[in-house]
Amino acid sequence: MSSQPAGHPAAGSAPETGGAGMTMTQKILARKAGLPHVTAGQLVEVDLDLVLGNDVTTPPAIEVFRATGKTRVFDPAKVVLVPDHFTPNKDIKSAEQCRKMRLFAQEQDLSNYHEAGEPEMGVEHVILPDNGLVMPGDAIIGADSHTCTYGALGAFATGVGSTDMACGMATGRCWLKIPGAIRVRLSGAPRGFVTGKDVVLDLIGRIGVDGALYRSLEYTGPGVAALTMEERLTIANMAIEAGAKNGIFPVDDRTLAYLREVAPERLARGEGWIVEPDADASYDETLDIDLSRVPLTVAFPHLPSNTRPVDLAGAVPVDQVVIGSCTNGRMEDMRLAARILSGRRVSKSVRCIVIPGSQRVYARCLEEGLLSIFVAAGALVSAPTCGPCLGGHMGILADGERCVSTTNRNFVGRMGHTGSEVYLAGVPVAAASAVAGRIAAPEEIGIEAPADLRAEWLGTAGPERA
Amino acid sequence: MGRVFKYGDHVDTDVIIPARYLNTSDPAELARHCMEDLDTSFAGRVRPGDILVAGINFGSGSSREHAPMAIKASGIRCVIAASFARIFYRNAINTGLAILESPEAAAEIADGDDVDVDFETGLISDRTTGRTYRSTPFPPFIRRIIEADGLVGYLRSGGMAGTRVAGSEPEVTP
Ligand code: SF4
């Protein structure tokens, strides 16, 4: 891959020579393959800790599972099926898909299958960590490209297709090519309303949508400590938008505090494996990012890498704003949205759709009074679902319409008509844009940047189960 | 021989098969909407044996296996690209859609050319221009999956049984 453009304020890069040591990802995969050592490019079969599917990818996987000749999944506690894309069922065909998945879950006695409305339910990548299903050092595949989200907890997690999912369900195993890695060394702390979303958009903007193709993005450095758990989930979530196989963070005190909240029993039993890169790990390249210099960032249509600082966005009127998804549908996101919308009105010309990422997040919004703030501001609050993120339902765009969205993809037609446009941003810009009726930073609608956003968030990194 | 349908870089799964059609996984129905958001004429014009040629990062985006399924069901015999997004690459191998990686072929072959591919040798021949191209060969482990007609066949013939077949004989690809 090409190296960093010179003179950029936030990041710099250096080519790597590297040693014979292994990256975090390589160490996990070596362990799961039962090998003392692996190197980039090697093909291995690994034992899996979790196999995930959703209502789009599971129905074809069930067909393939039947074709393998197996009758039972390898471990009913380690297969997780989540109806989230077209649920609550948007039409008859989606209802049939969901029914097929539900019947399979019943047939196989899966412990991690929940219906819409149950406290454990919501968008897959929001609920798996919050339900305590992900532990550091795990190897996880999911028939959903954003499965890479779980790297935030120091696990190896990657997206696969339905056939991989089916064979994973049948055998508990998966073939993988050992990836090389880009090391992303973080320093400093984000300023003002800048969040993890801006950090990852800015990164994708500089390396491109195939900048990390076939490789891992491994985050290290003192800046990691500045990021909340939820910001790390957001950053790991979008590894795939840089083409990466996975993104991974080291485990620190904040990760352990989060795990104490969501998986106390597993932690007490000594489950999980904390991995650090070898001192002589071989990296293809190192990127240095000073978090304090990352600007509020917007990705213009039609690629997540088409980024600009919000200050250079120009006058872009918007028709719709979506706040939610597996990227930004967590509690901190809801609190940030409420902070911007509180006491203000969504512009007459904008439909603002807020989608708590899970039933637990929804309940918490209710308790904290955030739902009233959204409604009073003239925003619409949806049930937890992927919905408009993939152009499924609950906010499809017409020809020529523009949407500022906290989701992760802005491809042609992603949210509706091929003539519509999606602008990706973090929650503060999305919410401020809803008020302004055009792409705007919070400061442009008269909101002072906070002195220390992260300090306000400390201690609230977990899902705070009811 | 097949006629070439040529597209650019970063052809993503959302244009290969838009999400609004993901409420089914019937290959024939998916094929009817294949490439719809990029080229509305594709589904009507494509004939069995035709070849799809594209630039870098083909198949980026979601993990939907509906994308290689739709391409295969539309009659496309092989996809030639400068590079493939990794999940699409896996899905194509696992489901038996032929793919070849060749930046030169991807750059030079033109829309409408007649092209022949030899999967044994990885040789791509453009009959229209008379040029030939060599594609990156698959490593032996992947060839075993392809020879078994995809991952299910590989599994049924004893692969992934916990014997660490691949791990016990590490293969380093170039
Ligand atoms: S919220 Fe969007 S990106 Fe995330 S799993 Fe759902 S459809 Fe995929």
Side-chain angles (χ1 to χ4, degrees):
Chain A
M1 116 183 188
S2 61
S3 67
Q4 206 50 40
H8 185 272
S13 88
E16 286 293 322
T17 46
M22 293 188 282
T23 65
M24 289 186 270
T25 300
Q26 290 167 354
K27 284 169 104 168
I28 294 173
L29 294 180
R31 192 174 200 240
K32 297 295 177 182
L35 296 169
H37 193 267
V38 294
T39 49
Q42 188 176 341
L43 288 154
V44 296
E45 287 181 16
V46 298
D47 289 324
L48 300 169
D49 295 288
L50 220 53
V51 177
L52 163 74
N54 59 47
D55 51 316
V56 168
T57 56
T58 304
I62 294 171
E63 304 285 324
V64 181
F65 176 80
R66 305 280 188 224
T68 64
K70 304 267 182 196
T71 53
R72 306 298 296 173
V73 300
F74 81 107
D75 185 339
K78 293 183 176 176
V79 174
V80 187
L81 305 183
V82 184
D84 59 356
H85 277 52
F86 294 133
T87 57
N89 302 341
K90 94 165 174 136
D91 57 18
I92 294 169
K93 280 182 177 170
S94 332
E96 296 292 349
Q97 300 266 79
C98 288
R99 187 170 73 126
K100 191 168 176 179
M101 182 159 101
R102 176 181 308 120
L103 293 177
F104 183 76
Q106 286 165 3
E107 169 198 307
Q108 298 289 330
D109 296 319
L110 303 187
S111 39
N112 293 302
Y113 174 82
H114 305 284
E115 287 297 341
E118 288 190 63
E120 300 86 354
M121 263 314 295
V123 175
E124 51 199 309
H125 311 307
V126 175
I127 63 172
L128 263 68
D130 279 2
N131 290 351
L133 298 179
V134 179
M135 294 298 283
D138 278 359
I140 299 172
I141 61 166
D144 188 280
S145 54
H146 292 99
T147 302
C148 52
T149 308
Y150 317 134
L153 300 180
F156 169 81
T158 195
V160 296
S162 296
T163 297
D164 277 315
M165 179 196 169
C167 294
M169 289 199 295
T171 63
R173 299 173 64 78
C174 179
W175 70 269
L176 290 167
K177 186 160 149 183
I178 302 293
I182 297 175
R183 171 167 54 181
V184 185
R185 227 163 20 194
L186 305 175
S187 61
R191 290 206 177 143
F193 277 115
V194 172
T195 63
K197 179 63 163 287
D198 302 288
V199 174
V200 71
L201 284 177
D202 185 65
L203 173 68
I204 296 162
R206 61 195 65 265
I207 70 173
V209 289
D210 61 348
L213 194 61
Y214 302 129
R215 297 186 283 185
S216 311
L217 281 169
E218 298 217 347
Y219 295 92
T220 64
V224 169
L227 299 169
T228 67
M229 247 359 265
E230 300 201 357
E231 289 183 294
R232 297 179 202 181
L233 288 160
T234 301
I235 292 171
N237 174 271
M238 288 192 73
I240 180 71
E241 270 63 52
K245 187 180 205 107
N246 67 310
I248 189 167
F249 278 86
V251 173
D252 64 7
D253 289 347
R254 194 159 298 166
T255 323
L256 293 172
Y258 175 83
L259 288 169
R260 272 195 292 278
E261 268 188 72
V262 300
E265 306 85 4
R266 299 186 71 184
L267 208 57
R269 279 198 298 272
E271 289 184 42
W273 184 59
I274 296 174
V275 61
E276 281 176 8
D278 285 333
D280 61 343
S282 172
Y283 290 97
D284 296 348
E285 186 166 358
T286 295
L287 282 173
D288 283 304
I289 297 186
D290 177 352
L291 296 172
S292 68
R293 306 184 76 164
V294 172
L296 284 172
T297 302
V298 179
F300 274 52
H302 289 285
L303 282 177
S305 56
N306 194 12
T307 55
R308 291 184 206 175
V310 70
D311 298 345
L312 304 179
V316 182
V318 301
D319 305 285
Q320 179 167 300
V321 168
V322 171
I323 297 171
S325 86
C326 61
T327 314
N328 285 117
R330 300 186 177 83
M331 210 49 229
E332 285 169 7
D333 301 311
M334 296 298 124
R335 292 195 185 113
L336 259 183
R339 176 178 183 142
I340 307 260
L341 293 175
S342 179
R344 295 184 177 77
R345 288 290 301 177
V346 168
S347 162
K348 267 290 198 196
S349 60
V350 175
R351 312 176 296 269
C352 180
I353 305 169
V354 181
I355 313 173
S358 69
Q359 194 67 2
R360 223 174 243 143
V361 171
Y362 192 103
R364 188 75 188 172
C365 287
L366 186 64
E367 281 169 31
E368 292 187 9
L370 308 190
L371 298 186
S372 320
I373 293 174
F374 298 143
V375 171
L380 179 157
V381 184
S382 151
T385 179
C386 293
C389 170
L390 80 161
H393 61 149
M394 296 293 300
I396 306 301
L397 300 174
D399 190 7
E401 286 193 325
R402 293 198 185 91
C403 178
V404 177
S405 180
T406 67
T407 54
N408 46 44
R409 290 197 172 129
N410 57 353
F411 302 147
V412 170
R414 173 74 179 178
M415 204 175 269
H417 196 281
T418 51
S420 63
E421 295 182 343
V422 177
Y423 295 74
L424 303 175
V427 172
V429 168
S433 302
V435 173
R438 60 176 171 83
I439 293 181
E443 288 84 351
E444 292 175 66
I445 58 164
I447 302 177
E448 283 288 308
D452 191 346
L453 195 60
R454 263 138 227 92
E456 297 171 24
W457 275 340
L458 284 180
T460 63
E464 303 174 45
R465 350 182 88 194
Chain B
M1 280 228 287
R3 191 180 37 148
V4 166
F5 285 82
K6 173 108 188 232
Y7 301 103
D9 292 340
H10 307 299
V11 172
D12 62 74
T13 54
D14 276 280
V15 297
I16 296 172
I17 184 73
R20 58 185 177 277
Y21 303 120
L22 296 184
N23 53 9
T24 177
S25 45
D26 171 29
E29 197 170 335
L30 293 173
R32 274 198 286 282
H33 303 291
C34 189
M35 307 300 285
E36 190 172 290
D37 283 359
L38 187 60
D39 176 1
T40 46
S41 74
F42 175 85
R45 290 192 296 139
V46 66
R47 300 278 169 268
D50 283 348
I51 286 170
L52 206 156
V53 179
I56 57 169
N57 203 25
F58 184 87
S60 56
S62 90
S63 68
R64 61 190 72 157
E65 215 156 271
H66 310 65
M69 275 164 67
I71 293 174
K72 200 176 167 192
S74 74
I76 288 286
R77 176 161 176 245
C78 174
V79 182
I80 300 167
S83 66
F84 291 92
R86 59 159 291 275
I87 302 179
F88 186 91
Y89 179 92
R90 293 184 71 84
N91 288 349
I93 290 163
N94 287 342
T95 58
L97 169 70
I99 55 170
L100 294 174
E101 210 168 67
S102 167
E104 297 76 29
E108 292 182 10
I109 294 174
D111 193 57
D113 283 3
D114 269 319
V115 165
D116 214 4
V117 288
D118 184 335
F119 296 116
E120 291 291 308
T121 59
L123 205 69
I124 301 164
S125 315
D126 189 330
R127 303 287 181 204
T128 309
T129 62
R131 286 173 185 270
T132 58
Y133 308 92
R134 201 159 282 288
S135 61
T136 317
F138 285 118
F141 173 68
I142 302 232
R143 275 211 300 276
R144 283 205 289 279
I145 296 177
I146 295 169
E147 278 158 19
D149 202 25
L151 195 60
V152 173
Y154 176 70
L155 190 156
R156 289 189 72 110
S157 65
M160 309 208 353
T163 49
R164 308 213 151 92
V165 182
S168 60
E169 39 171 315
E171 290 155 353
V172 179
T173 54

